[in-house]
């Protein structure tokens, strides 16, 4: 009897289990990356740097203090590859897959943790969904690697096979890490391939699939692409995600047409790279075919907006999520029309969902602003440290770097190699919160109330 009471008293919330799981994998990954066998220097790497790398890998961010292709040996790159794959699938998905393989019974508590980790509304069918996630991930990433291999092999020889596989997994997991760096262009990402439509389109398609989320892909396959049978969530995600990418493409094509980033390209290449920049920002994939510091101020602001909104729930991407922004827009429209309910397509969205959306927006905005303030104190005059003439606004850099960390995107002004130790750890914390979700992290520390009391209405003037 006493043991039962103690278990109930010290039972960990599901999201705390997920958080501890991420921290455990990050710790193991950091240790492996620090080993002399993992890097080309032949010695132990800095503790701060390996923690930063491991956090980036697990959170699928792609920020790096040194070029991945040049600093890591094949063993180190393989460790990063596993961390990226783990980050894309998530701790509970990975754990469930292992349980299924060893035929361990998955308890109700495990199912609840999976539900919380994937951001699902109900517990029903979560194990089946995890199986589908594993199958879908393997098929999509393998197909991407096969399609990319000829392009990379033609340019780089046999090493192109590894580059194709690494980039395919990184793109679908919306991680932004690559092993394409060269001594002449160490942090180049895909800037050497800005004219290669094959590579950019395949990477973009992988990122889009990763950004849609597993429930959306599963729903599309189950309904055999018949739009009318899709769930409302699937329709909203597809409409919002593709709309953001289309608007972003047009915006970048206009704003960057004569900018330093694209002035050396022809018209077709400018359209291709505008599309790629839009997809990478809105899916939070983080690959870049143009130098981010060469974008105009307008282009960098649009990049921040797309990154902040980000991908969709239960996806490999970050941000406040497309469904959140959709609910907020619907709330605004219904508020302007004087409605008491949030309605769309003949359905009513619960007040609870609306409150969750507002909470996510508030927490994310507060976290980004507060982090930018701290970073400005730890690293004043950051633009001087970067030494890029086209970036002359410290405030803009702080916000850009904090947004790209929170949304786990990885697009950067190149500040990471010049950040102080305190700023690197700050970014690591932001990434972890962004990967798990600000609301999920908040629920670990705040007790959920399930009361049935109804209080009298109170009128408060708004606006």
């Amino acid at each position: 009897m006493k043991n039962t009471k103690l278990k109930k008293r010290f039972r960990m919330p599901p999201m705390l289990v997920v958080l501890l799981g991420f921290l455990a994998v990050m710790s193991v990954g950091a240790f492996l990356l620090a080993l002399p066998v993992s890097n080309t220097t032949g010695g132990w790497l800095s503790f701060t740097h390996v923690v930063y790398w491991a956090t980036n890998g697990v959170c699928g961010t792609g920020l790096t203090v040194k070029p991945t292709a040049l600093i890591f040996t094949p063993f180190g790159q393989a460790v990063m590859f596993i961390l990226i794959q783990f980050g894309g699938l998530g701790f509970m998905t990975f754990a469930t897959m292992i349980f299924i393989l060893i035929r361990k019974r998955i308890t109700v508590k495990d199912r609840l943790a999976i539900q919380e980790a994937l951001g699902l509304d109900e517990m029903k069918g979560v194990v089946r969904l995890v199986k589908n996630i594993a199958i879908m991930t393997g098929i999509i990433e393998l197909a991407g690697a096969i399609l990319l291999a000829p392009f990379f092999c033609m340019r780089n020889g046999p090493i192109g096979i590894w580059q194709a596989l690494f980039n395919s997994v990184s793109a679908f997991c919306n991680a932004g890490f690559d092993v394409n760096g060269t001594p002449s262009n160490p942090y180049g990402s895909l800037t050497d391939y800005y004219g290669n439509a094959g590579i950019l389109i395949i990477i973009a398609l992988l990122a889009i699939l990763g950004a849609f989320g597993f429930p959306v892909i599963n729903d599309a396959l189950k309904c055999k692409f018949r739009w009318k049978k899709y769930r409302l969530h699937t329709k909203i995600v597809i409409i919002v995600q593709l709309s953001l990418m289309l608007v972003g493409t047009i915006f970048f094509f206009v704003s960057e047409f004569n900018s330093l980033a694209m002035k050396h390209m022809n018209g077709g290449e400018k359209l291709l790279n505008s599309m790629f920049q839009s997809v990478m920002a809105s899916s939070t994939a983080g690959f870049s075919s143009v130098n981010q510091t060469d974008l105009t101020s307008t282009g960098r602001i649009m990049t921040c907006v797309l990154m902040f909104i980000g991908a969709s729930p239960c996806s490999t991407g970050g941000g406040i999520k497309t469904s959140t922004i959709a609910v907020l827009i619907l709330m605004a429209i219904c508020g302007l029309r004087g409605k008491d309910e949030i309605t769309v397509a003949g359905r009513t969205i619960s007040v609870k969902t609306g409150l969750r959306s507002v909470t996510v927006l508030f927490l994310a905005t507060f976290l980004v602003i507060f982090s930018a303030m701290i970073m400005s104190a730890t690293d004043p005059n950051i633009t001087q440290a970067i030494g890029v003439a086209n970036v002359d606004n410290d405030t803009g850099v702080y916000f850009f770097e904090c947004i790209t960390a929170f949304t786990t995107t990885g697009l950067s002004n190149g500040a990471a190699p010049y950040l102080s130790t305190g700023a690197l750890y700050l970014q690591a914390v932001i990434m972890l919160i962004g990967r798990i979700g600000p609301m999920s992290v908040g629920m670990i520390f705040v007790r959920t109330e399930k009361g049935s009391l109804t209080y009298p209405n109170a009128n408060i003037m708004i606006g």
Side-chain angles (χ1 to χ4, degrees), residues 248-398:
T249 299
I250 297 170
F251 186 94
F252 286 121
F253 184 71
V254 174
S255 69
E256 307 304 315
F257 195 85
N258 293 315
S259 72
L260 189 62
M262 298 186 188
K263 69 177 184 179
H264 59 287
M265 303 178 188
N266 60 40
E269 289 172 343
K270 288 179 180 180
L271 181 60
L272 173 66
N273 285 271
S274 296
M275 177 277 295
F276 193 75
Q277 176 74 12
S278 178
V279 171
M280 291 302 104
S282 56
S283 67
T284 71
F287 286 91
S288 59
S289 60
V290 296
N291 194 327
Q292 300 302 299
T293 57
D294 289 340
L295 294 173
T296 61
S297 297
T298 309
R300 286 199 292 273
I301 291 172
M302 186 60 175
T303 301
C304 286
V305 171
L306 292 175
M307 289 192 300
F308 189 73
I309 297 172
S312 302
C314 195
S315 72
T316 58
I320 64 172
K321 303 296 189 280
T322 51
S323 55
T324 302
I325 201 69
V327 171
L328 291 170
I329 291 171
L330 291 170
M331 287 176 65
I333 294 171
C334 291
L336 290 171
R337 290 179 174 176
K339 291 186 176 182
D340 295 327
E341 295 179 325
I342 312 167
T343 56
V344 58
R347 300 289 182 90
T348 299
I349 297 174
S350 68
V351 175
K352 181 180 178 181
T353 301
L355 288 173
R356 288 173 69 96
S357 299
V358 173
T359 303
V360 169
L361 176 64
F362 170 78
L363 291 175
T365 304
F366 175 80
L367 180 64
V368 168
I369 294 174
F370 185 68
S371 302
M373 291 171 62
I374 295 177
M375 190 177 289
S376 66
T378 58
D379 292 67
N381 305 317
I382 188 66
T383 53
Q384 293 180 19
I386 298 173
V388 178
N390 202 43
V391 178
D392 56 1
N393 188 318
D394 285 333
T395 304
V397 174
Y398 297 132

Side-chain angles (χ1 to χ4, degrees), residues 25-26 29 33 53-54 57-58 78-88:
V25 174
M26 283 163 48
L33 291 175
W53 265 309
V58 168
V79 172
M80 285 302 306
F81 179 88
I82 294 170
L83 291 176
I84 291 168
Q85 187 69 87
F86 174 89

Side-chain angles (χ1 to χ4, degrees), residues 400-420:
F400 195 104
E401 296 301 317
C402 288
I403 290 173
T404 196
F406 167 72
T407 60
T408 68
T409 305
L411 293 174
S412 175
N413 287 305
Y418 306 100
L419 291 177
S420 64

